[in-house]
Amino acid sequence: MFRMLKHHLHPGIFLFFIWLCHLMEHQKVQAGNCWLQQGKNGRCQVLYMPGMSREECCRSGRLGTSWTEEDVPNSTLFRWMIFNGGAPNCIPCKGGETCDNVDCGPGKRCKMNRRSKPRCVCAPDCSNITWKGPVCGSDGKTYKDECALLKAKCKGHPDLDVQYQGKCKKTCRDVLCPGSSTCVVDQTNNAYCVTCNRICPEVTSPEQYLCGNDGIIYASACHLRRATCLLGRSIGVAYEGKCIKAKSCEDIQCSAGKKCLWDARMSRGRCSLCDETCPESRTDEAVCASDNTTYPSECAMKQAACSMGVLLEVKHSGSCNSITEDQEEDEEDEDTDYMPYVHISSILDG
């Protein structure tokens, strides 16, 4: 091709053409692809920006940023990411052997691991924390101090916050909630600090009415939440609509996915979810139910209630034959094995 052009073009134009092709080829090499991380398979993963030079890509200095030289079509990038585990010929921006100039972001710092590789670890700033004792987190878990809670928040619980100082309680007694928040006990007798909404919008539809587990009619979910807050313990929803004088569960119509369970003690029905699958129970999860029967877990108790069609509630944790004491002070402080995150909205479930 070049031989044909040489015969048809002026020598100066031909030399310019050769220089332009060389420049374009050089630009093509420089305009590679920037990636956020290099996978364990050595390939670049998580595309950040195509058509970026290595200098631009590596300017941030963040750990894991990598670059590939190949300027390929988007279809090829897509195939690499979906089917090939990432892009080949991955070039890390950092040599990967030192923490020098590595930016891990706020609340983290670079630390060399046992394989002498840099890694970002959680290291929150705890210098301004004045309370040195244990704290109760919004997940219902006790942390040995606020710094341990901040580490847990960094490790994957972004919504985790301190509820109140001291260990998590089973009663609102001795719980000092910060600011204008109020202590509320849920169905599992865990104390939470919540902010009460004292003003509810005007009810515009009769479909908003709810029958509470206490047999009282509430104009809306907001009114029930407000009553829960002011009462200091969970009320819960028995069923949608106004409360009726039911003689049995046959008189109560539950919404889809729920089954009516009869409360013989109060002569009331309650709609509950009955499709829960229970995980394997631990020995410390046993509960004594209101029928004076010991169940392996609260979930197993609910399954039994659904099969019998009667309402069962937890009297206390442990076996019905055991003598229950306040074991709060005997519980050990831990900052690992975090419990599943619990939202306070769960106190309104049936």
Side-chain angles (χ1 to χ4, degrees):
M1 177 180 176
F2 286 121
R3 190 175 298 171
M4 293 175 59
L5 288 172
K6 188 174 181 179
H7 289 292
H8 291 83
L9 294 176
H10 187 276
I13 297 177
F14 177 74
L15 291 175
F16 174 77
F17 178 75
I18 294 295
W19 175 82
L20 183 62
C21 289
H22 176 76
L23 178 65
M24 291 175 65
E25 184 65 25
H26 179 71
Q27 291 295 330
K28 181 179 180 181
V29 170
Q30 288 301 310
N33 300 290
C34 190
W35 306 80
L36 291 180
Q37 69 181 38
Q38 183 181 32
K40 294 181 179 180
N41 58 4
R43 291 175 172 262
C44 282
Q45 299 174 343
V46 188
L47 180 65
Y48 172 65
M49 185 74 69
M52 182 177 283
S53 69
R54 183 176 181 182
E55 182 183 2
E56 293 174 319
C57 177
C58 299
R59 192 172 293 160
S60 68
R62 284 188 174 274
L63 183 66
T65 305
S66 303
W67 184 77
T68 51
E69 183 178 287
E70 292 86 355
D71 187 11
V72 296
N74 289 337
S75 58
T76 303
L77 291 175
F78 177 80
R79 188 175 68 253
W80 281 347
M81 289 186 288
I82 301 300
F83 301 109
N84 293 35
N89 305 320
C90 189
I91 305 172
C93 287
K94 294 291 178 183
E97 303 299 332
T98 171
C99 278
D100 293 344
N101 301 320
V102 173
D103 179 13
C104 290
K108 294 185 177 182
R109 65 179 177 86
C110 182
K111 181 181 179 182
M112 304 299 292
N113 64 12
R114 294 178 180 177
R115 294 178 294 176
S116 298
K117 300 290 182 181
R119 60 186 292 262
C120 290
V121 297
C122 291
D125 182 8
C126 302
S127 58
N128 295 326
I129 296 175
T130 55
W131 173 259
K132 302 300 181 182
V135 294
C136 182
S138 51
D139 57 353
K141 171 76 175 180
T142 298
Y143 295 84
K144 66 177 184 180
D145 53 38
E146 189 173 345
C147 196
L149 182 142
L150 291 176
K151 287 181 181 178
K153 183 173 184 174
C154 169
K155 289 180 178 179
H157 300 268
D159 297 326
L160 182 61
D161 289 303
V162 175
Q163 285 200 98
Y164 49 85
Q165 294 175 349
K167 295 181 179 181
C168 292
K169 304 289 184 180
K170 292 288 186 181
T171 171
C172 280
R173 188 178 70 248
D174 300 328
V175 173
L176 182 62
C177 291
S180 60
S181 58
T182 304
C183 182
V184 174
V185 177
D186 68 3
Q187 296 102 318
T188 59
N189 294 322
N190 290 309
Y192 291 89
C193 287
V194 299
T195 301
C196 293
N197 184 4
R198 299 183 181 276
I199 301 176
C200 290
E202 186 177 345
V203 177
T204 57
S205 169
E207 294 179 355
Q208 292 180 261
Y209 283 102
L210 297 171
C211 179
N213 289 336
D214 54 0
I216 297 175
I217 300 171
Y218 294 92
S220 67
C222 177
H223 289 81
L224 189 145
R225 285 195 296 269
R226 184 178 65 179
T228 293
C229 234
L230 298 177
L231 182 65
R233 61 177 174 82
S234 173
I235 296 174
V237 179
Y239 46 86
E240 297 174 358
K242 293 184 177 181
C243 298
I244 60 173
K245 292 183 178 180
K247 295 181 180 179
S248 69
C249 273
E250 294 180 0
D251 300 328
I252 299 172
Q253 185 174 359
C254 295
S255 58
K258 291 189 174 183
K259 178 180 179 180
C260 178
L261 305 180
W262 189 253
D263 184 352
R265 184 174 62 88
M266 302 299 295
S267 296
R268 287 199 292 258
R270 181 184 303 183
C271 293
S272 301
L273 289 170
C274 282
D275 59 352
E276 186 176 3
T277 302
C278 297
E280 187 175 346
S281 303
R282 300 195 308 264
T283 55
D284 60 347
E285 290 183 326
V287 295
C288 179
S290 51
D291 62 348
N292 292 319
T293 301
T294 301
Y295 293 92
S297 65
E298 186 175 351
C299 181
M301 179 198 75
K302 290 180 179 179
Q303 281 189 334
C306 286
S307 64
M308 294 185 292
V310 297
L311 180 68
L312 294 177
E313 294 180 315
V314 176
K315 287 179 64 177
H316 60 77
S317 58
S319 170
C320 291
N321 298 325
S322 63
I323 301 175
T324 59
E325 300 286 346
D326 186 358
Q327 299 176 344
E328 288 179 355
E329 297 304 320
D330 297 330
E331 294 175 356
E332 294 183 359
D333 293 329
E334 296 178 356
D335 64 346
T336 56
D337 297 330
Y338 308 107
M339 295 172 61
Y341 196 83
V342 179
H343 293 281
I344 192 62
S345 59
S346 63
I347 66 171
L348 300 181
D349 295 334

